[in-house]
Amino acid sequence: MLKVHHLENSRSQRILWLLEELGVDYEIKCYQRDSETMLAPPELLEIHPLGKSPVITDEGTTIAESGAIIEYLVDNYDDGRLLPGEGTQERLAYTYWLHYAEGTFMPLMILSLVMNRIETAPMPFFIKPIAKGIVAKVKGGYLGQNTRRNLDFMEMSLGQSDWFCGDQLTAADIQMSYAVEAATVRSMQPDEYPKLRAFLERMKARPAYQAALEKGGPNKMIGSD
Ligand SMILES: N[C@@H](CCC(=O)N[C@@H](CS)C(=O)NCC(=O)O)C(=O)O
C-alpha cells in the first residue's frame, strides 16, 4: 500500500490532504522532529538520502520532493478533478504555482524563519545589538522587499477566484497551501492579505483537509511561537 513518511508539523501534511481529496488508500509512518534542532530524525535517511519529508513509497518506488510527489499522485490516481485540461490557461497557471511554491516563495519563508530565530536566540549581551542590526538589515532590504512583493502578487493572483488556477481546487492549491500558511505566521500582519486568509479558510473547511488532519495529527506551523 502507498506509504507516506510523515514528519510532524511539516509539508507532508499537504500530501495527506491530496491523498484524501483523491480518495486513495494509504498508510502513514509518523516521525518526530528533534525538539532542540527541529530536524527530522535519522530514520528518515533510511528512506531517502536527504532525510526530509514528505517522502512516499508506492509499488517499490520512493519519491521525494512535494512537487514531484504531487505530480506522481495526480498522474497515477487523479480522474481529472485536480488537474486542469492540457492546453488551457488554467493548466499553465497550475504548472506555474506548482513550481512557484517551493522554487520562489519557500526560500523566502525559510530565510524569514532563520531571521526570526536569530532575533530571539539566547546570546551574550554584547553580541545582541550586532545580531539585531544584521537581522534588521536583511528584513528591511532583500527579505522584506521580496516577501512583500510576492505576497502582493499572490493576493492579486487570487483576484476574484477561490483558488489559484480559477474556481476549481487543483493540486497546485494543495502545493501552495503550506506556503500561504507559512506566510501567515512568519510574514503577515493579522489585518493583511484578506484573500490569502480566505483561501486558507476555504482549505480548512474541506472535509478532505480535515480528514488528513485527523489521520496525520495536529499540524502546527513552525515559526508560530
Ligand atoms: N522542497 C522540499 C522541502 C522538504 C523539507 O525541507 N521538509 C522539511 C519539513 S517541512 C524537513 O524535512 N525538515 C526536517 C529537516 O530538514 O531535517 C519539499 O517540498 O519536499
Side-chain angles (χ1 to χ4, degrees):
M1 188 189 277
L2 191 152
K3 190 187 272 189
V4 181
H5 297 271
H6 173 62
L7 180 66
E8 62 171 342
N9 303 325
S10 81
R11 287 164 169 86
S12 54
Q13 183 60 36
R14 64 186 163 191
I15 302 303
L16 305 184
W17 177 23
L18 174 58
L19 286 164
E20 292 293 333
E21 292 283 355
L22 293 172
V24 175
D25 278 342
Y26 61 97
E27 57 181 282
I28 302 178
K29 179 150 196 254
C30 286
Y31 299 81
Q32 306 302 312
R33 289 179 184 269
D34 181 292
S35 58
E36 287 270 299
T37 62
M38 301 312 279
L39 291 174
E43 295 86 79
L44 260 175
L45 285 167
E46 291 162 22
I47 313 300
H48 185 275
L50 295 184
K52 304 243 178 217
S53 178
V55 186
I56 65 164
T57 44
D58 191 26
E59 312 220 342
T61 304
T62 301
I63 305 156
E65 193 62 49
S66 309
I69 295 171
I70 289 174
E71 281 201 45
Y72 171 85
L73 293 176
V74 167
D75 284 351
N76 287 280
Y77 297 103
D78 186 34
D79 57 7
R81 274 186 315 122
L82 296 177
L83 176 70
E86 235 171 284
T88 61
Q89 284 303 314
E90 288 79 9
R91 179 63 163 266
L92 261 183
Y94 173 90
T95 306
Y96 179 78
W97 293 112
L98 194 64
H99 289 274
Y100 167 89
E102 290 293 321
T104 293
F105 195 66
M106 282 313 292
L108 293 171
M109 290 299 95
I110 289 163
L111 186 55
S112 226
L113 181 64
V114 172
M115 289 298 134
N116 292 346
R117 285 267 159 87
I118 293 174
E119 251 175 350
T120 53
M123 61 184 82
F125 73 93
F126 52 91
I127 304 283
K128 237 182 170 85
I130 300 169
K132 285 206 161 183
I134 294 171
V135 169
K137 250 205 144 63
V138 176
K139 283 190 170 179
Y142 176 86
L143 179 60
Q145 285 177 31
N146 276 291
T147 303
R148 198 126 299 271
R149 193 171 295 160
N150 275 268
L151 286 170
D152 290 348
F153 168 61
M154 282 152 65
E155 177 85 359
M156 183 193 75
S157 301
L158 279 174
Q160 301 307 317
S161 55
D162 283 357
W163 305 103
F164 278 97
C165 310
D167 290 331
Q168 299 296 322
L169 173 82
T170 70
D173 294 297
I174 296 177
Q175 172 80 326
M176 281 297 291
S177 62
Y178 190 85
V180 178
E181 273 203 297
T184 60
V185 300
R186 295 177 199 167
S187 310
M188 278 159 56
Q189 300 303 318
D191 56 344
E192 289 181 310
Y193 301 109
K195 288 183 180 163
L196 292 177
R197 290 183 185 281
F199 166 84
L200 290 180
E201 289 314 309
R202 271 191 288 280
M203 164 186 96
K204 288 178 187 160
R206 290 188 74 86
Y209 181 86
Q210 291 162 15
L213 266 188
E214 206 155 289
K215 290 190 191 160
N219 191 44
K220 184 165 177 252
M221 179 55 67
I222 293 191
S224 57
D225 45 23

